[in-house]
Amino acid sequence: MNALTQVQQGHATFTGTIKDDVQVQDMYIMVNGKKTVYHAFDDKKKTENFNLSVPLKKGKNEIIVVARDDQDLVQTVQLNLFSQ
């Protein structure tokens, strides 16, 4: 999974691509321990593009982006974003 993060006042937008050897099933984004975005991929492709926005609180935000394939194998990307 590769992603570009853009932070604007109160929101972060994640844009990127998820690749798998067979099929990408879904992805979700957790912000500060709460699942805020869930996106299922119905096309049964090996590669899926995404563009998702999540709300941020003021200060430090712990973000986890999770992608899952058709065999329930997951890849995660963790980052901390600061919002003013």
mmCIF file of all heavy atoms in Angstrom, residues 21-43:
data_model
loop_
_atom_site.group_PDB
_atom_site.id
_atom_site.type_symbol
_atom_site.label_atom_id
_atom_site.label_comp_id
_atom_site.label_asym_id
_atom_site.label_seq_id
_atom_site.Cartn_x
_atom_site.Cartn_y
_atom_site.Cartn_z
ATOM 1 N N ASP A 21 -1.769 -9.854 -4.641
ATOM 2 C CA ASP A 21 -1.493 -10.842 -5.690
ATOM 3 C C ASP A 21 -2.759 -11.491 -6.239
ATOM 4 O O ASP A 21 -2.757 -12.043 -7.334
ATOM 5 C CB ASP A 21 -0.513 -11.906 -5.200
ATOM 6 C CG ASP A 21 -1.026 -12.681 -4.006
ATOM 7 O OD1 ASP A 21 -1.951 -12.194 -3.314
ATOM 8 O OD2 ASP A 21 -0.482 -13.776 -3.735
ATOM 9 N N VAL A 22 -3.874 -11.422 -5.478
ATOM 10 C CA VAL A 22 -5.127 -12.028 -5.946
ATOM 11 C C VAL A 22 -6.254 -10.999 -6.004
ATOM 12 O O VAL A 22 -6.747 -10.665 -7.061
ATOM 13 C CB VAL A 22 -5.539 -13.224 -5.048
ATOM 14 C CG1 VAL A 22 -6.853 -13.831 -5.524
ATOM 15 C CG2 VAL A 22 -4.451 -14.279 -5.031
ATOM 16 N N GLN A 23 -6.678 -10.499 -4.809
ATOM 17 C CA GLN A 23 -7.822 -9.582 -4.778
ATOM 18 C C GLN A 23 -7.802 -8.712 -3.530
ATOM 19 O O GLN A 23 -7.623 -9.202 -2.427
ATOM 20 C CB GLN A 23 -9.115 -10.394 -4.796
ATOM 21 C CG GLN A 23 -10.366 -9.585 -4.630
ATOM 22 C CD GLN A 23 -11.591 -10.473 -4.446
ATOM 23 O OE1 GLN A 23 -11.594 -11.637 -4.809
ATOM 24 N NE2 GLN A 23 -12.621 -9.911 -3.883
ATOM 25 N N VAL A 24 -8.019 -7.424 -3.704
ATOM 26 C CA VAL A 24 -8.181 -6.504 -2.579
ATOM 27 C C VAL A 24 -9.643 -6.558 -2.148
ATOM 28 O O VAL A 24 -10.552 -6.425 -2.964
ATOM 29 C CB VAL A 24 -7.802 -5.058 -2.980
ATOM 30 C CG1 VAL A 24 -8.033 -4.115 -1.829
ATOM 31 C CG2 VAL A 24 -6.362 -4.997 -3.462
ATOM 32 N N GLN A 25 -9.870 -6.766 -0.850
ATOM 33 C CA GLN A 25 -11.235 -6.900 -0.346
ATOM 34 C C GLN A 25 -11.796 -5.583 0.171
ATOM 35 O O GLN A 25 -12.865 -5.148 -0.247
ATOM 36 C CB GLN A 25 -11.279 -7.942 0.767
ATOM 37 C CG GLN A 25 -12.650 -8.158 1.364
ATOM 38 C CD GLN A 25 -12.646 -9.289 2.364
ATOM 39 O OE1 GLN A 25 -12.116 -10.350 2.100
ATOM 40 N NE2 GLN A 25 -13.227 -9.050 3.511
ATOM 41 N N ASP A 26 -11.079 -4.952 1.119
ATOM 42 C CA ASP A 26 -11.585 -3.715 1.710
ATOM 43 C C ASP A 26 -10.461 -2.978 2.423
ATOM 44 O O ASP A 26 -9.330 -3.462 2.482
ATOM 45 C CB ASP A 26 -12.746 -3.981 2.671
ATOM 46 C CG ASP A 26 -12.384 -4.916 3.822
ATOM 47 O OD1 ASP A 26 -11.186 -5.239 3.997
ATOM 48 O OD2 ASP A 26 -13.292 -5.327 4.558
ATOM 49 N N MET A 27 -10.809 -1.808 2.953
ATOM 50 C CA MET A 27 -9.867 -1.023 3.745
ATOM 51 C C MET A 27 -10.656 -0.190 4.739
ATOM 52 O O MET A 27 -11.850 0.058 4.550
ATOM 53 C CB MET A 27 -9.011 -0.119 2.862
ATOM 54 C CG MET A 27 -9.748 1.047 2.250
ATOM 55 S SD MET A 27 -8.680 2.218 1.411
ATOM 56 C CE MET A 27 -7.681 2.823 2.741
ATOM 57 N N TYR A 28 -9.975 0.204 5.816
ATOM 58 C CA TYR A 28 -10.595 1.129 6.753
ATOM 59 C C TYR A 28 -9.516 1.984 7.400
ATOM 60 O O TYR A 28 -8.332 1.651 7.365
ATOM 61 C CB TYR A 28 -11.460 0.416 7.791
ATOM 62 C CG TYR A 28 -10.759 -0.608 8.652
ATOM 63 C CD1 TYR A 28 -10.204 -0.264 9.874
ATOM 64 C CD2 TYR A 28 -10.691 -1.938 8.249
ATOM 65 C CE1 TYR A 28 -9.586 -1.200 10.675
ATOM 66 C CE2 TYR A 28 -10.083 -2.892 9.041
ATOM 67 C CZ TYR A 28 -9.543 -2.521 10.259
ATOM 68 O OH TYR A 28 -8.929 -3.464 11.048
ATOM 69 N N ILE A 29 -9.958 3.098 7.969
ATOM 70 C CA ILE A 29 -9.052 4.027 8.632
ATOM 71 C C ILE A 29 -9.559 4.254 10.056
ATOM 72 O O ILE A 29 -10.736 4.561 10.258
ATOM 73 C CB ILE A 29 -8.967 5.375 7.889
ATOM 74 C CG1 ILE A 29 -8.459 5.156 6.463
ATOM 75 C CG2 ILE A 29 -8.049 6.346 8.641
ATOM 76 C CD1 ILE A 29 -8.453 6.409 5.608
ATOM 77 N N MET A 30 -8.652 4.052 11.015
ATOM 78 C CA MET A 30 -8.969 4.310 12.417
ATOM 79 C C MET A 30 -8.286 5.611 12.835
ATOM 80 O O MET A 30 -7.126 5.832 12.506
ATOM 81 C CB MET A 30 -8.510 3.160 13.290
ATOM 82 C CG MET A 30 -9.221 1.866 12.946
ATOM 83 S SD MET A 30 -8.872 0.545 14.108
ATOM 84 C CE MET A 30 -9.656 1.173 15.574
ATOM 85 N N VAL A 31 -9.031 6.462 13.528
ATOM 86 C CA VAL A 31 -8.498 7.721 14.053
ATOM 87 C C VAL A 31 -8.703 7.701 15.556
ATOM 88 O O VAL A 31 -9.840 7.587 16.029
ATOM 89 C CB VAL A 31 -9.209 8.942 13.425
ATOM 90 C CG1 VAL A 31 -8.654 10.231 13.989
ATOM 91 C CG2 VAL A 31 -9.087 8.925 11.914
ATOM 92 N N ASN A 32 -7.603 7.751 16.287
ATOM 93 C CA ASN A 32 -7.645 7.765 17.754
ATOM 94 C C ASN A 32 -8.453 6.592 18.315
ATOM 95 O O ASN A 32 -9.270 6.738 19.213
ATOM 96 C CB ASN A 32 -8.184 9.103 18.263
ATOM 97 C CG ASN A 32 -7.332 10.247 17.795
ATOM 98 O OD1 ASN A 32 -6.119 10.189 17.847
ATOM 99 N ND2 ASN A 32 -7.968 11.302 17.302
ATOM 100 N N GLY A 33 -8.229 5.405 17.735
ATOM 101 C CA GLY A 33 -8.854 4.179 18.235
ATOM 102 C C GLY A 33 -10.266 3.912 17.761
ATOM 103 O O GLY A 33 -10.865 2.914 18.143
ATOM 104 N N LYS A 34 -10.821 4.773 16.914
ATOM 105 C CA LYS A 34 -12.189 4.582 16.411
ATOM 106 C C LYS A 34 -12.172 4.438 14.898
ATOM 107 O O LYS A 34 -11.539 5.224 14.195
ATOM 108 C CB LYS A 34 -13.083 5.767 16.789
ATOM 109 C CG LYS A 34 -13.276 5.900 18.271
ATOM 110 C CD LYS A 34 -14.170 7.075 18.589
ATOM 111 C CE LYS A 34 -14.315 7.219 20.088
ATOM 112 N NZ LYS A 34 -15.127 8.365 20.455
ATOM 113 N N LYS A 35 -12.889 3.438 14.403
ATOM 114 C CA LYS A 35 -12.997 3.256 12.954
ATOM 115 C C LYS A 35 -13.860 4.386 12.401
ATOM 116 O O LYS A 35 -15.025 4.531 12.760
ATOM 117 C CB LYS A 35 -13.623 1.908 12.618
ATOM 118 C CG LYS A 35 -13.556 1.567 11.141
ATOM 119 C CD LYS A 35 -14.279 0.275 10.797
ATOM 120 C CE LYS A 35 -13.667 -0.914 11.456
ATOM 121 N NZ LYS A 35 -14.337 -2.171 11.074
ATOM 122 N N THR A 36 -13.273 5.233 11.552
ATOM 123 C CA THR A 36 -14.007 6.388 11.041
ATOM 124 C C THR A 36 -14.404 6.235 9.588
ATOM 125 O O THR A 36 -15.343 6.881 9.142
ATOM 126 C CB THR A 36 -13.192 7.686 11.202
ATOM 127 O OG1 THR A 36 -11.966 7.544 10.503
ATOM 128 C CG2 THR A 36 -12.909 7.976 12.657
ATOM 129 N N VAL A 37 -13.676 5.400 8.836
ATOM 130 C CA VAL A 37 -13.983 5.196 7.417
ATOM 131 C C VAL A 37 -13.829 3.720 7.099
ATOM 132 O O VAL A 37 -12.855 3.088 7.496
ATOM 133 C CB VAL A 37 -13.029 6.011 6.510
ATOM 134 C CG1 VAL A 37 -13.252 5.675 5.053
ATOM 135 C CG2 VAL A 37 -13.195 7.495 6.735
ATOM 136 N N TYR A 38 -14.818 3.169 6.399
ATOM 137 C CA TYR A 38 -14.733 1.804 5.890
ATOM 138 C C TYR A 38 -15.087 1.847 4.410
ATOM 139 O O TYR A 38 -16.053 2.496 4.023
ATOM 140 C CB TYR A 38 -15.696 0.867 6.625
ATOM 141 C CG TYR A 38 -15.742 -0.503 6.001
ATOM 142 C CD1 TYR A 38 -14.766 -1.448 6.292
ATOM 143 C CD2 TYR A 38 -16.747 -0.851 5.100
ATOM 144 C CE1 TYR A 38 -14.786 -2.702 5.711
ATOM 145 C CE2 TYR A 38 -16.767 -2.099 4.510
ATOM 146 C CZ TYR A 38 -15.790 -3.019 4.824
ATOM 147 O OH TYR A 38 -15.811 -4.254 4.234
ATOM 148 N N HIS A 39 -14.293 1.157 3.581
ATOM 149 C CA HIS A 39 -14.578 1.127 2.150
ATOM 150 C C HIS A 39 -14.359 -0.286 1.629
ATOM 151 O O HIS A 39 -13.266 -0.835 1.715
ATOM 152 C CB HIS A 39 -13.668 2.105 1.396
ATOM 153 C CG HIS A 39 -13.984 2.199 -0.053
ATOM 154 N ND1 HIS A 39 -15.089 2.853 -0.529
ATOM 155 C CD2 HIS A 39 -13.358 1.686 -1.133
ATOM 156 C CE1 HIS A 39 -15.122 2.757 -1.845
ATOM 157 N NE2 HIS A 39 -14.076 2.045 -2.223
ATOM 158 N N ALA A 40 -15.427 -0.894 1.106
ATOM 159 C CA ALA A 40 -15.342 -2.233 0.503
ATOM 160 C C ALA A 40 -15.110 -2.089 -0.998
ATOM 161 O O ALA A 40 -15.659 -1.187 -1.631
ATOM 162 C CB ALA A 40 -16.632 -3.002 0.758
ATOM 163 N N PHE A 41 -14.282 -2.961 -1.538
ATOM 164 C CA PHE A 41 -14.021 -2.985 -2.979
ATOM 165 C C PHE A 41 -14.775 -4.168 -3.578
ATOM 166 O O PHE A 41 -14.480 -5.318 -3.267
ATOM 167 C CB PHE A 41 -12.521 -3.105 -3.252
ATOM 168 C CG PHE A 41 -11.720 -1.953 -2.735
ATOM 169 C CD1 PHE A 41 -10.935 -2.086 -1.608
ATOM 170 C CD2 PHE A 41 -11.754 -0.720 -3.367
ATOM 171 C CE1 PHE A 41 -10.187 -1.023 -1.122
ATOM 172 C CE2 PHE A 41 -11.018 0.356 -2.885
ATOM 173 C CZ PHE A 41 -10.235 0.197 -1.769
ATOM 174 N N ASP A 42 -15.742 -3.892 -4.428
ATOM 175 C CA ASP A 42 -16.598 -4.934 -4.991
ATOM 176 C C ASP A 42 -16.120 -5.465 -6.333
ATOM 177 O O ASP A 42 -16.654 -6.450 -6.831
ATOM 178 C CB ASP A 42 -18.028 -4.398 -5.156
ATOM 179 C CG ASP A 42 -18.639 -4.031 -3.812
ATOM 180 O OD1 ASP A 42 -18.338 -4.714 -2.812
ATOM 181 O OD2 ASP A 42 -19.410 -3.060 -3.759
ATOM 182 N N ASP A 43 -15.123 -4.818 -6.933
ATOM 183 C CA ASP A 43 -14.725 -5.165 -8.298
ATOM 184 C C ASP A 43 -13.817 -6.386 -8.387
ATOM 185 O O ASP A 43 -13.526 -6.859 -9.472
ATOM 186 C CB ASP A 43 -14.016 -3.973 -8.956
ATOM 187 C CG ASP A 43 -14.949 -2.785 -9.091
ATOM 188 O OD1 ASP A 43 -16.175 -2.983 -9.099
ATOM 189 O OD2 ASP A 43 -14.441 -1.667 -9.181
#
